[in-house]
Amino acid sequence: MKNAVRPRAAAAAAALLAASALLTACGGDTTQPAADKARDTADASAEPVKDPVVATYDGGLYVLDGATLEVAEDIPLKGFNRVNPAGDDRHVMVSTSTGFRVMDAVGGKLTDVEFEGSKPGHVVRHAGKTILFSDGTGEVTIFDPAQLGDGKPKSETYSSDAPHHGVAIQLADGELVTTLGTEEKRTGIKVLDKDRKEITRNEKCPEVHGEAAAKDETVVVGCEDGVLVYRDGTIKKVQSPTEYGRIGNQAGSPESAVVLGDYKQDPDAELERPEKISLIDTESGTMRLVDLGTSYTFRSLARGPHGEALVLGTDGKIHVIDPGTGKVEKKISVLDSWKEPLDWQQPRPALFVRDHTAYVSDPARKKLVAVDIESGKKLASTEVEQAPNEVSGVDAH
């Protein structure tokens, strides 16, 4: 098996035993328990994972070297888990059944730090803050990811009017853009100042979902009939060109005023497999649809280092799109063709981009692949024992 799983547990265990024996022979240490010192020695002996990438599978997590994709750790974790960058170059947020758990990805281990919350949902990083949204309570949690290495960071919380599947983003000046809704109906967004006094709201966004930040801190959230665009104290609606035009997943870039979004047109479909994507120009307030000629999923959207719009199609290719013109500039072959499963939790290929590298999971072949976005060259690939699902990683240095 190419680049097979090679956990560091054995080496750590050996170091632990050696350290324990040494401490026993020396008669122990009154300032720190022997077991704790041994554990510290074991942790220190483990080599750090360079620029780690994390992939989920049913019942666990793989931590991989970002350059070679060699599996450094295989961490068992029951349940359906999700992963997102935590906002720094060391940690990843793992969404579990009980809340948002902090993973030290460079150290290849889950920490004891957890932001508890029912139905943990979106994780957003923006302007040096990480924002968590717990759907089961409607609670928004905001913290500085630079404090993650010192235990649980100090955090600010804001309670939504009602629990709902929502999202929030805090801007550089402290303003908070957060969704409005209940468990039965989601309606729009409101904007609060740094003292959490309401600035403005818009409730003409049925089934609001997802967010992205574009150039000049312009925020876009999706609706069933377009998007809401917030900038400088004003919310504007950009209408979909079709009566039902759902945009629920977006990808933004500080390099571009255009936000990439998905686009679904059939409200009655059990599972619509869309072939068009949306490009929302936040400066002109217009929307362009681009027909890719292949379908994609909610895990298919990303942005490149220069603001390129990237879409992983079910044709197995990454479609590189000029966001200004809508032109597909090139297609990078990474996988064989595939089909989206009906159950959203079932594994399907996912796209994660960091700097100039695109990481793609291939559950059908139990592989992960890394490619250079500009050259299209395959940089690394690895086979794993379990079908990978979501893929994420630490933020760039």
Side-chain angles (χ1 to χ4, degrees), residues 93 100 114-117 122-124 129-134 137-144 152-160 168-170 176 178 196:
M93 302 302 297
F100 301 91
E114 182 180 33
F115 295 89
E116 294 181 358
H122 285 272
V123 177
V124 175
K129 299 293 184 181
T130 301
I131 305 95
L132 315 175
F133 197 102
S134 294
T137 60
E139 185 172 81
V140 177
T141 303
I142 305 156
F143 66 88
D144 181 352
K152 189 171 185 177
K154 294 180 180 178
S155 61
E156 174 196 348
T157 59
Y158 169 78
S159 295
S160 303
I169 178 173
Q170 179 169 289
L176 184 70
T178 186
R196 300 306 176 240

PDB file of all heavy atoms in Angstrom, residues 93 100 114-117 122-124 129-134 137-144 152-160 168-170 176 178 196:
ATOM      1  N   MET A  93     -10.300  22.671  13.831  1.00  0.00           N
ATOM      2  CA  MET A  93     -11.517  22.475  14.613  1.00  0.00           C
ATOM      3  C   MET A  93     -12.222  21.213  14.127  1.00  0.00           C
ATOM      4  O   MET A  93     -12.473  21.052  12.924  1.00  0.00           O
ATOM      5  CB  MET A  93     -12.463  23.659  14.475  1.00  0.00           C
ATOM      6  CG  MET A  93     -11.877  25.010  14.887  1.00  0.00           C
ATOM      7  SD  MET A  93     -11.285  25.068  16.594  1.00  0.00           S
ATOM      8  CE  MET A  93     -12.821  24.796  17.497  1.00  0.00           C
ATOM      9  N   PHE A 100     -17.376  21.726  19.384  1.00  0.00           N
ATOM     10  CA  PHE A 100     -16.212  21.976  18.540  1.00  0.00           C
ATOM     11  C   PHE A 100     -14.949  21.616  19.334  1.00  0.00           C
ATOM     12  O   PHE A 100     -14.608  22.292  20.300  1.00  0.00           O
ATOM     13  CB  PHE A 100     -16.145  23.444  18.130  1.00  0.00           C
ATOM     14  CG  PHE A 100     -17.350  23.928  17.361  1.00  0.00           C
ATOM     15  CD1 PHE A 100     -18.432  24.493  18.032  1.00  0.00           C
ATOM     16  CD2 PHE A 100     -17.396  23.841  15.980  1.00  0.00           C
ATOM     17  CE1 PHE A 100     -19.526  24.964  17.337  1.00  0.00           C
ATOM     18  CE2 PHE A 100     -18.496  24.303  15.272  1.00  0.00           C
ATOM     19  CZ  PHE A 100     -19.569  24.870  15.944  1.00  0.00           C
ATOM     20  N   GLU A 114     -12.491  22.058  24.254  1.00  0.00           N
ATOM     21  CA  GLU A 114     -13.725  21.920  23.488  1.00  0.00           C
ATOM     22  C   GLU A 114     -14.639  23.097  23.767  1.00  0.00           C
ATOM     23  O   GLU A 114     -14.795  23.533  24.903  1.00  0.00           O
ATOM     24  CB  GLU A 114     -14.444  20.619  23.847  1.00  0.00           C
ATOM     25  CG  GLU A 114     -15.725  20.393  23.047  1.00  0.00           C
ATOM     26  CD  GLU A 114     -16.435  19.101  23.422  1.00  0.00           C
ATOM     27  OE1 GLU A 114     -16.368  18.724  24.606  1.00  0.00           O
ATOM     28  OE2 GLU A 114     -17.062  18.493  22.547  1.00  0.00           O
ATOM     29  N   PHE A 115     -15.247  23.609  22.711  1.00  0.00           N
ATOM     30  CA  PHE A 115     -16.314  24.590  22.844  1.00  0.00           C
ATOM     31  C   PHE A 115     -17.613  23.801  22.725  1.00  0.00           C
ATOM     32  O   PHE A 115     -18.016  23.424  21.618  1.00  0.00           O
ATOM     33  CB  PHE A 115     -16.214  25.655  21.749  1.00  0.00           C
ATOM     34  CG  PHE A 115     -14.971  26.508  21.836  1.00  0.00           C
ATOM     35  CD1 PHE A 115     -13.803  26.128  21.199  1.00  0.00           C
ATOM     36  CD2 PHE A 115     -14.982  27.688  22.572  1.00  0.00           C
ATOM     37  CE1 PHE A 115     -12.659  26.909  21.274  1.00  0.00           C
ATOM     38  CE2 PHE A 115     -13.843  28.471  22.670  1.00  0.00           C
ATOM     39  CZ  PHE A 115     -12.681  28.084  22.015  1.00  0.00           C
ATOM     40  N   GLU A 116     -18.224  23.528  23.851  1.00  0.00           N
ATOM     41  CA  GLU A 116     -19.400  22.674  23.844  1.00  0.00           C
ATOM     42  C   GLU A 116     -20.573  23.375  23.162  1.00  0.00           C
ATOM     43  O   GLU A 116     -20.734  24.595  23.278  1.00  0.00           O
ATOM     44  CB  GLU A 116     -19.787  22.299  25.277  1.00  0.00           C
ATOM     45  CG  GLU A 116     -18.741  21.429  25.969  1.00  0.00           C
ATOM     46  CD  GLU A 116     -19.157  21.042  27.369  1.00  0.00           C
ATOM     47  OE1 GLU A 116     -20.251  21.480  27.802  1.00  0.00           O
ATOM     48  OE2 GLU A 116     -18.414  20.307  28.032  1.00  0.00           O
ATOM     49  N   GLY A 117     -21.366  22.573  22.467  1.00  0.00           N
ATOM     50  CA  GLY A 117     -22.513  23.144  21.791  1.00  0.00           C
ATOM     51  C   GLY A 117     -23.316  22.083  21.075  1.00  0.00           C
ATOM     52  O   GLY A 117     -22.754  21.183  20.457  1.00  0.00           O
ATOM     53  N   HIS A 122     -21.357  25.830  11.406  1.00  0.00           N
ATOM     54  CA  HIS A 122     -20.331  26.521  10.618  1.00  0.00           C
ATOM     55  C   HIS A 122     -19.173  27.027  11.480  1.00  0.00           C
ATOM     56  O   HIS A 122     -19.362  27.475  12.609  1.00  0.00           O
ATOM     57  CB  HIS A 122     -20.962  27.703   9.878  1.00  0.00           C
ATOM     58  CG  HIS A 122     -21.785  27.294   8.697  1.00  0.00           C
ATOM     59  ND1 HIS A 122     -21.256  27.121   7.437  1.00  0.00           N
ATOM     60  CD2 HIS A 122     -23.098  27.005   8.578  1.00  0.00           C
ATOM     61  CE1 HIS A 122     -22.208  26.762   6.592  1.00  0.00           C
ATOM     62  NE2 HIS A 122     -23.337  26.671   7.268  1.00  0.00           N
ATOM     63  N   VAL A 123     -17.973  26.963  10.898  1.00  0.00           N
ATOM     64  CA  VAL A 123     -16.763  27.549  11.460  1.00  0.00           C
ATOM     65  C   VAL A 123     -16.256  28.567  10.444  1.00  0.00           C
ATOM     66  O   VAL A 123     -16.006  28.227   9.289  1.00  0.00           O
ATOM     67  CB  VAL A 123     -15.677  26.493  11.725  1.00  0.00           C
ATOM     68  CG1 VAL A 123     -14.402  27.152  12.244  1.00  0.00           C
ATOM     69  CG2 VAL A 123     -16.173  25.430  12.693  1.00  0.00           C
ATOM     70  N   VAL A 124     -16.130  29.825  10.875  1.00  0.00           N
ATOM     71  CA  VAL A 124     -15.709  30.904   9.974  1.00  0.00           C
ATOM     72  C   VAL A 124     -14.455  31.555  10.537  1.00  0.00           C
ATOM     73  O   VAL A 124     -14.366  31.815  11.740  1.00  0.00           O
ATOM     74  CB  VAL A 124     -16.830  31.961   9.830  1.00  0.00           C
ATOM     75  CG1 VAL A 124     -16.350  33.152   9.003  1.00  0.00           C
ATOM     76  CG2 VAL A 124     -18.071  31.342   9.205  1.00  0.00           C
ATOM     77  N   LYS A 129     -10.132  36.463  13.730  1.00  0.00           N
ATOM     78  CA  LYS A 129     -11.041  35.836  14.675  1.00  0.00           C
ATOM     79  C   LYS A 129     -11.618  34.559  14.074  1.00  0.00           C
ATOM     80  O   LYS A 129     -11.757  34.426  12.858  1.00  0.00           O
ATOM     81  CB  LYS A 129     -12.191  36.772  15.041  1.00  0.00           C
ATOM     82  CG  LYS A 129     -11.761  38.070  15.719  1.00  0.00           C
ATOM     83  CD  LYS A 129     -11.163  37.832  17.094  1.00  0.00           C
ATOM     84  CE  LYS A 129     -10.832  39.158  17.770  1.00  0.00           C
ATOM     85  NZ  LYS A 129     -10.216  38.969  19.111  1.00  0.00           N
ATOM     86  N   THR A 130     -11.970  33.625  14.952  1.00  0.00           N
ATOM     87  CA  THR A 130     -12.663  32.407  14.551  1.00  0.00           C
ATOM     88  C   THR A 130     -14.049  32.448  15.173  1.00  0.00           C
ATOM     89  O   THR A 130     -14.194  32.751  16.362  1.00  0.00           O
ATOM     90  CB  THR A 130     -11.896  31.158  15.009  1.00  0.00           C
ATOM     91  OG1 THR A 130     -10.587  31.187  14.425  1.00  0.00           O
ATOM     92  CG2 THR A 130     -12.605  29.887  14.574  1.00  0.00           C
ATOM     93  N   ILE A 131     -15.062  32.173  14.346  1.00  0.00           N
ATOM     94  CA  ILE A 131     -16.452  32.296  14.784  1.00  0.00           C
ATOM     95  C   ILE A 131     -17.155  30.959  14.619  1.00  0.00           C
ATOM     96  O   ILE A 131     -17.172  30.388  13.525  1.00  0.00           O
ATOM     97  CB  ILE A 131     -17.194  33.389  13.979  1.00  0.00           C
ATOM     98  CG1 ILE A 131     -16.441  34.725  14.064  1.00  0.00           C
ATOM     99  CG2 ILE A 131     -18.613  33.563  14.504  1.00  0.00           C
ATOM    100  CD1 ILE A 131     -15.499  34.989  12.918  1.00  0.00           C
ATOM    101  N   LEU A 132     -17.721  30.448  15.703  1.00  0.00           N
ATOM    102  CA  LEU A 132     -18.421  29.165  15.717  1.00  0.00           C
ATOM    103  C   LEU A 132     -19.915  29.402  15.849  1.00  0.00           C
ATOM    104  O   LEU A 132     -20.337  30.305  16.572  1.00  0.00           O
ATOM    105  CB  LEU A 132     -17.942  28.303  16.889  1.00  0.00           C
ATOM    106  CG  LEU A 132     -16.436  28.222  17.127  1.00  0.00           C
ATOM    107  CD1 LEU A 132     -16.146  27.418  18.402  1.00  0.00           C
ATOM    108  CD2 LEU A 132     -15.723  27.598  15.937  1.00  0.00           C
ATOM    109  N   PHE A 133     -20.711  28.566  15.183  1.00  0.00           N
ATOM    110  CA  PHE A 133     -22.168  28.670  15.314  1.00  0.00           C
ATOM    111  C   PHE A 133     -22.732  27.309  15.702  1.00  0.00           C
ATOM    112  O   PHE A 133     -22.565  26.333  14.966  1.00  0.00           O
ATOM    113  CB  PHE A 133     -22.801  29.137  14.001  1.00  0.00           C
ATOM    114  CG  PHE A 133     -24.209  29.662  14.165  1.00  0.00           C
ATOM    115  CD1 PHE A 133     -24.460  31.026  14.178  1.00  0.00           C
ATOM    116  CD2 PHE A 133     -25.290  28.797  14.321  1.00  0.00           C
ATOM    117  CE1 PHE A 133     -25.755  31.527  14.337  1.00  0.00           C
ATOM    118  CE2 PHE A 133     -26.582  29.270  14.479  1.00  0.00           C
ATOM    119  CZ  PHE A 133     -26.812  30.645  14.491  1.00  0.00           C
ATOM    120  N   SER A 134     -23.396  27.250  16.855  1.00  0.00           N
ATOM    121  CA  SER A 134     -24.039  26.021  17.319  1.00  0.00           C
ATOM    122  C   SER A 134     -25.513  26.064  16.929  1.00  0.00           C
ATOM    123  O   SER A 134     -26.288  26.847  17.485  1.00  0.00           O
ATOM    124  CB  SER A 134     -23.888  25.866  18.835  1.00  0.00           C
ATOM    125  OG  SER A 134     -22.541  25.669  19.193  1.00  0.00           O
ATOM    126  N   THR A 137     -28.431  25.617  19.665  1.00  0.00           N
ATOM    127  CA  THR A 137     -28.700  26.678  20.643  1.00  0.00           C
ATOM    128  C   THR A 137     -28.780  28.058  19.997  1.00  0.00           C
ATOM    129  O   THR A 137     -29.308  28.991  20.596  1.00  0.00           O
ATOM    130  CB  THR A 137     -27.602  26.727  21.718  1.00  0.00           C
ATOM    131  OG1 THR A 137     -26.336  26.995  21.075  1.00  0.00           O
ATOM    132  CG2 THR A 137     -27.518  25.403  22.459  1.00  0.00           C
ATOM    133  N   GLY A 138     -28.228  28.188  18.797  1.00  0.00           N
ATOM    134  CA  GLY A 138     -28.144  29.495  18.155  1.00  0.00           C
ATOM    135  C   GLY A 138     -27.033  30.357  18.722  1.00  0.00           C
ATOM    136  O   GLY A 138     -26.961  31.559  18.462  1.00  0.00           O
ATOM    137  N   GLU A 139     -26.130  29.750  19.496  1.00  0.00           N
ATOM    138  CA  GLU A 139     -25.073  30.528  20.129  1.00  0.00           C
ATOM    139  C   GLU A 139     -23.884  30.726  19.183  1.00  0.00           C
ATOM    140  O   GLU A 139     -23.418  29.794  18.545  1.00  0.00           O
ATOM    141  CB  GLU A 139     -24.591  29.853  21.408  1.00  0.00           C
ATOM    142  CG  GLU A 139     -23.569  30.682  22.170  1.00  0.00           C
ATOM    143  CD  GLU A 139     -23.231  30.114  23.535  1.00  0.00           C
ATOM    144  OE1 GLU A 139     -22.409  29.183  23.603  1.00  0.00           O
ATOM    145  OE2 GLU A 139     -23.815  30.597  24.529  1.00  0.00           O
ATOM    146  N   VAL A 140     -23.405  31.969  19.140  1.00  0.00           N
ATOM    147  CA  VAL A 140     -22.221  32.336  18.373  1.00  0.00           C
ATOM    148  C   VAL A 140     -21.064  32.501  19.348  1.00  0.00           C
ATOM    149  O   VAL A 140     -21.200  33.189  20.367  1.00  0.00           O
ATOM    150  CB  VAL A 140     -22.456  33.648  17.601  1.00  0.00           C
ATOM    151  CG1 VAL A 140     -21.196  34.066  16.855  1.00  0.00           C
ATOM    152  CG2 VAL A 140     -23.638  33.513  16.646  1.00  0.00           C
ATOM    153  N   THR A 141     -19.927  31.882  19.045  1.00  0.00           N
ATOM    154  CA  THR A 141     -18.736  31.983  19.890  1.00  0.00           C
ATOM    155  C   THR A 141     -17.596  32.561  19.066  1.00  0.00           C
ATOM    156  O   THR A 141     -17.324  32.090  17.964  1.00  0.00           O
ATOM    157  CB  THR A 141     -18.326  30.611  20.437  1.00  0.00           C
ATOM    158  OG1 THR A 141     -19.420  30.039  21.164  1.00  0.00           O
ATOM    159  CG2 THR A 141     -17.116  30.717  21.347  1.00  0.00           C
ATOM    160  N   ILE A 142     -16.938  33.574  19.606  1.00  0.00           N
ATOM    161  CA  ILE A 142     -15.873  34.277  18.893  1.00  0.00           C
ATOM    162  C   ILE A 142     -14.609  34.236  19.742  1.00  0.00           C
ATOM    163  O   ILE A 142     -14.629  34.566  20.931  1.00  0.00           O
ATOM    164  CB  ILE A 142     -16.272  35.745  18.642  1.00  0.00           C
ATOM    165  CG1 ILE A 142     -17.618  35.811  17.902  1.00  0.00           C
ATOM    166  CG2 ILE A 142     -15.192  36.474  17.853  1.00  0.00           C
ATOM    167  CD1 ILE A 142     -18.349  37.110  18.110  1.00  0.00           C
ATOM    168  N   PHE A 143     -13.490  33.834  19.124  1.00  0.00           N
ATOM    169  CA  PHE A 143     -12.228  33.812  19.866  1.00  0.00           C
ATOM    170  C   PHE A 143     -11.058  34.119  18.941  1.00  0.00           C
ATOM    171  O   PHE A 143     -11.178  34.084  17.706  1.00  0.00           O
ATOM    172  CB  PHE A 143     -12.026  32.471  20.580  1.00  0.00           C
ATOM    173  CG  PHE A 143     -11.836  31.293  19.659  1.00  0.00           C
ATOM    174  CD1 PHE A 143     -10.580  30.933  19.195  1.00  0.00           C
ATOM    175  CD2 PHE A 143     -12.927  30.525  19.271  1.00  0.00           C
ATOM    176  CE1 PHE A 143     -10.404  29.840  18.354  1.00  0.00           C
ATOM    177  CE2 PHE A 143     -12.773  29.434  18.428  1.00  0.00           C
ATOM    178  CZ  PHE A 143     -11.499  29.091  17.973  1.00  0.00           C
ATOM    179  N   ASP A 144      -9.930  34.413  19.571  1.00  0.00           N
ATOM    180  CA  ASP A 144      -8.688  34.692  18.849  1.00  0.00           C
ATOM    181  C   ASP A 144      -7.918  33.381  18.717  1.00  0.00           C
ATOM    182  O   ASP A 144      -7.462  32.820  19.713  1.00  0.00           O
ATOM    183  CB  ASP A 144      -7.862  35.721  19.623  1.00  0.00           C
ATOM    184  CG  ASP A 144      -6.559  36.077  18.912  1.00  0.00           C
ATOM    185  OD1 ASP A 144      -6.218  35.419  17.905  1.00  0.00           O
ATOM    186  OD2 ASP A 144      -5.874  37.003  19.387  1.00  0.00           O
ATOM    187  N   LYS A 152      -7.705  26.794  26.473  1.00  0.00           N
ATOM    188  CA  LYS A 152      -8.932  27.304  25.880  1.00  0.00           C
ATOM    189  C   LYS A 152      -8.895  28.826  25.834  1.00  0.00           C
ATOM    190  O   LYS A 152      -8.744  29.486  26.861  1.00  0.00           O
ATOM    191  CB  LYS A 152     -10.157  26.837  26.687  1.00  0.00           C
ATOM    192  CG  LYS A 152     -11.482  27.146  26.007  1.00  0.00           C
ATOM    193  CD  LYS A 152     -12.646  26.488  26.732  1.00  0.00           C
ATOM    194  CE  LYS A 152     -13.954  26.701  25.987  1.00  0.00           C
ATOM    195  NZ  LYS A 152     -15.090  26.015  26.636  1.00  0.00           N
ATOM    196  N   PRO A 153      -9.036  29.405  24.646  1.00  0.00           N
ATOM    197  CA  PRO A 153      -8.968  30.865  24.534  1.00  0.00           C
ATOM    198  C   PRO A 153     -10.147  31.549  25.223  1.00  0.00           C
ATOM    199  O   PRO A 153     -11.228  30.972  25.366  1.00  0.00           O
ATOM    200  CB  PRO A 153      -9.041  31.111  23.018  1.00  0.00           C
ATOM    201  CG  PRO A 153      -8.768  29.799  22.377  1.00  0.00           C
ATOM    202  CD  PRO A 153      -9.226  28.756  23.343  1.00  0.00           C
ATOM    203  N   LYS A 154      -9.935  32.798  25.625  1.00  0.00           N
ATOM    204  CA  LYS A 154     -11.047  33.609  26.087  1.00  0.00           C
ATOM    205  C   LYS A 154     -11.975  33.827  24.900  1.00  0.00           C
ATOM    206  O   LYS A 154     -11.523  33.999  23.771  1.00  0.00           O
ATOM    207  CB  LYS A 154     -10.547  34.950  26.613  1.00  0.00           C
ATOM    208  CG  LYS A 154      -9.700  34.850  27.868  1.00  0.00           C
ATOM    209  CD  LYS A 154      -9.238  36.234  28.323  1.00  0.00           C
ATOM    210  CE  LYS A 154      -8.379  36.136  29.573  1.00  0.00           C
ATOM    211  NZ  LYS A 154      -7.887  37.480  30.001  1.00  0.00           N
ATOM    212  N   SER A 155     -13.270  33.820  25.141  1.00  0.00           N
ATOM    213  CA  SER A 155     -14.202  33.942  24.032  1.00  0.00           C
ATOM    214  C   SER A 155     -15.351  34.872  24.383  1.00  0.00           C
ATOM    215  O   SER A 155     -15.669  35.087  25.554  1.00  0.00           O
ATOM    216  CB  SER A 155     -14.754  32.572  23.625  1.00  0.00           C
ATOM    217  OG  SER A 155     -15.456  31.971  24.689  1.00  0.00           O
ATOM    218  N   GLU A 156     -15.951  35.417  23.347  1.00  0.00           N
ATOM    219  CA  GLU A 156     -17.168  36.207  23.477  1.00  0.00           C
ATOM    220  C   GLU A 156     -18.301  35.391  22.880  1.00  0.00           C
ATOM    221  O   GLU A 156     -18.105  34.693  21.877  1.00  0.00           O
ATOM    222  CB  GLU A 156     -17.036  37.521  22.703  1.00  0.00           C
ATOM    223  CG  GLU A 156     -18.309  38.356  22.671  1.00  0.00           C
ATOM    224  CD  GLU A 156     -18.283  39.433  21.607  1.00  0.00           C
ATOM    225  OE1 GLU A 156     -17.206  39.704  21.043  1.00  0.00           O
ATOM    226  OE2 GLU A 156     -19.366  39.996  21.326  1.00  0.00           O
ATOM    227  N   THR A 157     -19.475  35.453  23.476  1.00  0.00           N
ATOM    228  CA  THR A 157     -20.609  34.725  22.929  1.00  0.00           C
ATOM    229  C   THR A 157     -21.763  35.680  22.654  1.00  0.00           C
ATOM    230  O   THR A 157     -21.904  36.720  23.305  1.00  0.00           O
ATOM    231  CB  THR A 157     -21.097  33.617  23.880  1.00  0.00           C
ATOM    232  OG1 THR A 157     -21.467  34.186  25.125  1.00  0.00           O
ATOM    233  CG2 THR A 157     -20.011  32.573  24.085  1.00  0.00           C
ATOM    234  N   TYR A 158     -22.551  35.298  21.666  1.00  0.00           N
ATOM    235  CA  TYR A 158     -23.766  36.037  21.344  1.00  0.00           C
ATOM    236  C   TYR A 158     -24.868  35.015  21.108  1.00  0.00           C
ATOM    237  O   TYR A 158     -24.665  34.025  20.392  1.00  0.00           O
ATOM    238  CB  TYR A 158     -23.573  36.902  20.096  1.00  0.00           C
ATOM    239  CG  TYR A 158     -24.876  37.479  19.587  1.00  0.00           C
ATOM    240  CD1 TYR A 158     -25.447  38.582  20.216  1.00  0.00           C
ATOM    241  CD2 TYR A 158     -25.541  36.885  18.514  1.00  0.00           C
ATOM    242  CE1 TYR A 158     -26.657  39.091  19.792  1.00  0.00           C
ATOM    243  CE2 TYR A 158     -26.763  37.399  18.078  1.00  0.00           C
ATOM    244  CZ  TYR A 158     -27.313  38.497  18.717  1.00  0.00           C
ATOM    245  OH  TYR A 158     -28.510  38.996  18.300  1.00  0.00           O
ATOM    246  N   SER A 159     -26.036  35.238  21.685  1.00  0.00           N
ATOM    247  CA  SER A 159     -27.150  34.305  21.549  1.00  0.00           C
ATOM    248  C   SER A 159     -28.141  34.807  20.509  1.00  0.00           C
ATOM    249  O   SER A 159     -28.677  35.916  20.628  1.00  0.00           O
ATOM    250  CB  SER A 159     -27.865  34.114  22.894  1.00  0.00           C
ATOM    251  OG  SER A 159     -27.006  33.492  23.827  1.00  0.00           O
ATOM    252  N   SER A 160     -28.393  33.988  19.489  1.00  0.00           N
ATOM    253  CA  SER A 160     -29.404  34.307  18.486  1.00  0.00           C
ATOM    254  C   SER A 160     -30.782  34.307  19.132  1.00  0.00           C
ATOM    255  O   SER A 160     -30.984  33.739  20.215  1.00  0.00           O
ATOM    256  CB  SER A 160     -29.364  33.283  17.355  1.00  0.00           C
ATOM    257  OG  SER A 160     -28.087  33.229  16.765  1.00  0.00           O
ATOM    258  N   ALA A 168     -22.274  32.982  11.252  1.00  0.00           N
ATOM    259  CA  ALA A 168     -21.953  34.359  11.630  1.00  0.00           C
ATOM    260  C   ALA A 168     -20.515  34.666  11.228  1.00  0.00           C
ATOM    261  O   ALA A 168     -19.678  33.765  11.117  1.00  0.00           O
ATOM    262  CB  ALA A 168     -22.147  34.566  13.135  1.00  0.00           C
ATOM    263  N   ILE A 169     -20.250  35.961  11.012  1.00  0.00           N
ATOM    264  CA  ILE A 169     -18.892  36.407  10.700  1.00  0.00           C
ATOM    265  C   ILE A 169     -18.670  37.748  11.386  1.00  0.00           C
ATOM    266  O   ILE A 169     -19.554  38.612  11.376  1.00  0.00           O
ATOM    267  CB  ILE A 169     -18.672  36.504   9.165  1.00  0.00           C
ATOM    268  CG1 ILE A 169     -17.263  37.032   8.852  1.00  0.00           C
ATOM    269  CG2 ILE A 169     -19.738  37.355   8.499  1.00  0.00           C
ATOM    270  CD1 ILE A 169     -16.919  36.985   7.372  1.00  0.00           C
ATOM    271  N   GLN A 170     -17.506  37.906  12.007  1.00  0.00           N
ATOM    272  CA  GLN A 170     -17.167  39.180  12.634  1.00  0.00           C
ATOM    273  C   GLN A 170     -16.163  39.907  11.758  1.00  0.00           C
ATOM    274  O   GLN A 170     -15.166  39.334  11.329  1.00  0.00           O
ATOM    275  CB  GLN A 170     -16.599  38.988  14.040  1.00  0.00           C
ATOM    276  CG  GLN A 170     -16.225  40.317  14.708  1.00  0.00           C
ATOM    277  CD  GLN A 170     -15.922  40.180  16.183  1.00  0.00           C
ATOM    278  OE1 GLN A 170     -16.824  39.949  16.988  1.00  0.00           O
ATOM    279  NE2 GLN A 170     -14.667  40.319  16.557  1.00  0.00           N
ATOM    280  N   LEU A 176     -20.756  42.324  13.766  1.00  0.00           N
ATOM    281  CA  LEU A 176     -21.113  40.920  13.651  1.00  0.00           C
ATOM    282  C   LEU A 176     -22.286  40.770  12.685  1.00  0.00           C
ATOM    283  O   LEU A 176     -23.350  41.353  12.899  1.00  0.00           O
ATOM    284  CB  LEU A 176     -21.494  40.343  15.018  1.00  0.00           C
ATOM    285  CG  LEU A 176     -21.798  38.847  15.062  1.00  0.00           C
ATOM    286  CD1 LEU A 176     -20.516  38.030  14.850  1.00  0.00           C
ATOM    287  CD2 LEU A 176     -22.451  38.457  16.390  1.00  0.00           C
ATOM    288  N   THR A 178     -24.869  38.111  11.333  1.00  0.00           N
ATOM    289  CA  THR A 178     -25.355  36.805  11.772  1.00  0.00           C
ATOM    290  C   THR A 178     -26.749  36.541  11.220  1.00  0.00           C
ATOM    291  O   THR A 178     -27.508  37.476  10.937  1.00  0.00           O
ATOM    292  CB  THR A 178     -25.341  36.712  13.313  1.00  0.00           C
ATOM    293  OG1 THR A 178     -25.678  35.397  13.730  1.00  0.00           O
ATOM    294  CG2 THR A 178     -26.297  37.717  13.937  1.00  0.00           C
ATOM    295  N   ARG A 196     -22.825  45.244  20.081  1.00  0.00           N
ATOM    296  CA  ARG A 196     -23.940  44.332  19.811  1.00  0.00           C
ATOM    297  C   ARG A 196     -25.298  45.040  19.781  1.00  0.00           C
ATOM    298  O   ARG A 196     -26.317  44.458  20.112  1.00  0.00           O
ATOM    299  CB  ARG A 196     -23.941  43.155  20.801  1.00  0.00           C
ATOM    300  CG  ARG A 196     -22.660  42.315  20.732  1.00  0.00           C
ATOM    301  CD  ARG A 196     -22.369  41.849  19.326  1.00  0.00           C
ATOM    302  NE  ARG A 196     -21.109  41.126  19.192  1.00  0.00           N
ATOM    303  CZ  ARG A 196     -20.110  41.513  18.403  1.00  0.00           C
ATOM    304  NH1 ARG A 196     -20.208  42.617  17.675  1.00  0.00           N
ATOM    305  NH2 ARG A 196     -19.006  40.791  18.299  1.00  0.00           N
TER     306      ARG A 196
END
